[in-house]
């Protein structure tokens, strides 16, 4: 346990500035182009539904399970009062979760705590696996968790650092695109049950306000995350 703890809190040296730039470009390409985004968007959905689940637990709602679907959508099932602060906070947490997770990961990366970050991601995936309620969701979590575990066990420290930085940038950039997609669907009236529209029914504020709030948090996270990751 002493060796594991020492490994967990080990501080890695600062990355090469070129690695930081390349990792940002790779993550931006994953988010910006259609095919890579379609293949990787499920990771953002995991963070999104994880945000709902964590907030439901924090507000003492009964968490009944999580479903992840092959079209990269997902749903978190909770039970409790259909209105009130707990329901509002649970609905709010989804779209901001990837960005806030990315910001927290950027802080750990800037501090050189790469091992702590990767083990934290693995723990998060294991906890979600215990709550998953469909076969596809379990499969995608097992594949993702297996890849993270392989990274821990077999990849050298430099590779772990590079992959962690790509993941941080991906969370930061990937937190923005689903909000843009949400607003496009709302304009076409194709998202009547979206988080923003559920919040509008729960509160006196319109759905557009919550889309703006989601985007403000996402963009602020990109700015502060980029500041933390700035090699200069």
């Amino acid at each position: 346990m002493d060796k594991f703890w020492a490994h967990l809190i080990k501080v890695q040296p600062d990355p090469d500035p070129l690695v930081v730039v390349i990792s940002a470009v790779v993550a931006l390409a994953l988010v910006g182009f259609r095919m890579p985004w379609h293949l990787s968007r499920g990771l953002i959905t995991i963070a999104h539904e994880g945000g709902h689940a964590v907030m439901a637990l924090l507000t003492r709602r009964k968490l009944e399970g999580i479903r992840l679907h092959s079209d990269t959508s997902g749903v978190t099932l909770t039970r409790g009062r259909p209105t009130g602060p707990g329901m509002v906070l649970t609905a709010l947490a989804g779209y901001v979760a990837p960005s806030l997770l990315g910001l927290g990961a950027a802080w750990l990366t800037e501090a050189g705590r790469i091992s702590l970050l990767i083990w934290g991601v693995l723990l998060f995936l294991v906890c979600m696996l215990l709550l998953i309620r469909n076969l596809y969701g379990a499969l995608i979590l097992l594949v993702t968790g297996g890849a993270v575990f392989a990274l821990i066990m077999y990849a050298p420290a430099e590779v772990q650092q590079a992959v962690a930085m790509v993941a941080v940038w991906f969370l930061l950039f990937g937190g923005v695109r689903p909000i843009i997609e949400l607003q496009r669907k709302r304009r076409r009236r194709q998202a009547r049950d979206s988080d923003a529209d559920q919040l509008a029914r729960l509160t006196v504020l319109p759905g557009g306000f919550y889309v703006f709030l989601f985007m403000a948090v996402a963009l602020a996270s990109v700015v502060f995350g980029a500041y933390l990751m700035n090699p200069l």
Side-chain angles (χ1 to χ4, degrees), residues 101-114:
L101 284 172
L103 185 59
W107 175 72
L108 287 174
T109 303
E110 187 274 335
R113 308 288 186 178
I114 302 298

Side-chain angles (χ1 to χ4, degrees), residues 132-145:
I132 210 70
R133 294 295 180 267
N134 68 322
L135 182 60
Y136 179 82
L139 178 62
I140 196 68
L141 285 173
L142 284 171
V143 170
T144 306

Side-chain angles (χ1 to χ4, degrees), residues 97-128:
S99 299
L100 295 180
L101 284 172
L103 185 59
W107 175 72
L108 287 174
T109 303
E110 187 274 335
R113 308 288 186 178
I114 302 298
S115 296
L116 184 60
L117 171 60
I118 297 175
W119 277 100
V121 170
L122 184 60
L123 178 62
F124 176 78
L125 293 172
V126 169
C127 291
M128 282 200 67

Side-chain angles (χ1 to χ4, degrees), residues 8 11 23 58 66 69 74 89 120 123 147 151 175 197 231:
L8 200 63
V11 177
S23 64
L58 290 176
I66 300 170
H69 303 135
L89 290 173
L123 178 62
L151 179 70
D197 292 281

